[in-house]
Amino acid sequence: MRNTNLIMARGLLIVGLLVGLKSWWMTITHVGDESYRLISEFTKGSYHAWYHAFREAIGDLAAMSVLLLIFFGHKNWRIPKTWWVALIVMVGYYAPFWIGAPFYSQLAAPNMGGEIVHLAMAIPSVIGLFLAKRNFYQNRVK
């Protein structure tokens, strides 16, 4: 029996993650770009921003991998606890796009194009997670 709900949820997740590869690539290209260095007065080193970009890029790959494993792994992996794990991973992955902007405008997307990419990444994936929720709660471990 085909579960169209889960198929649609998986499709939405894939769309969000594929769009996210554009943002991921932008992060990767910051590493080694001289215009993404910190000021020389920063005592930890002017290249430290590259370290953070690289760390973010690797963390993004880890988050994407976890989500793919949960959505596409064995049906016994989709239980209420893993639904919550997926939600927490998504919050950790997507919230930094917006969480700091109310406090520092520099923590927002650099332009409207970037903001659109962030929205196009997050919205389908989050909708997919909520669409798939019943599939996680059908496989309750007793």
Side-chain angles (χ1 to χ4, degrees):
M1 181 169 110
R2 293 177 60 97
N3 186 339
T4 55
N5 208 37
L6 184 59
I7 292 169
M8 288 182 4
R10 286 172 170 167
L12 288 166
L13 177 71
I14 293 293
V15 166
L17 295 180
L18 285 174
V19 171
L21 290 177
K22 180 177 176 64
S23 179
W24 182 84
W25 183 250
M26 293 301 295
T27 300
I28 286 294
T29 60
H30 290 100
V31 178
D33 184 338
E34 289 294 323
S35 63
Y36 288 94
R37 290 179 52 204
L38 297 169
I39 59 172
S40 58
E41 289 81 16
F42 183 68
T43 61
K44 305 284 188 233
S46 61
Y47 296 101
H48 192 69
W50 294 355
Y51 160 79
H52 282 280
F54 188 70
R55 193 175 86 181
E56 176 188 340
I58 299 304
D60 288 356
L61 288 178
M64 290 179 202
S65 298
V66 168
L67 293 171
L68 290 169
L69 282 170
I70 290 172
F71 270 70
F72 288 91
H74 192 274
K75 70 177 185 173
N76 290 342
W77 294 5
R78 286 185 298 280
I79 60 174
K81 288 178 186 173
T82 57
W83 186 89
W84 284 98
V85 168
L87 177 64
I88 291 165
V89 169
M90 284 189 185
V91 168
Y93 184 42
Y94 298 124
F97 295 148
W98 301 287
I99 201 164
F103 308 104
Y104 296 103
S105 61
Q106 300 89 334
L107 297 177
N111 52 49
M112 185 52 74
E115 186 63 39
I116 290 169
V117 168
H118 291 163
L119 289 167
M121 297 171 59
I123 291 171
S125 297
V126 172
I127 290 172
L129 179 64
F130 281 92
L131 190 61
K133 187 173 183 178
R134 71 182 175 124
N135 293 281
F136 287 78
Y137 280 79
Q138 288 173 345
N139 297 326
R140 291 182 189 199
V141 175
K142 295 173 172 92

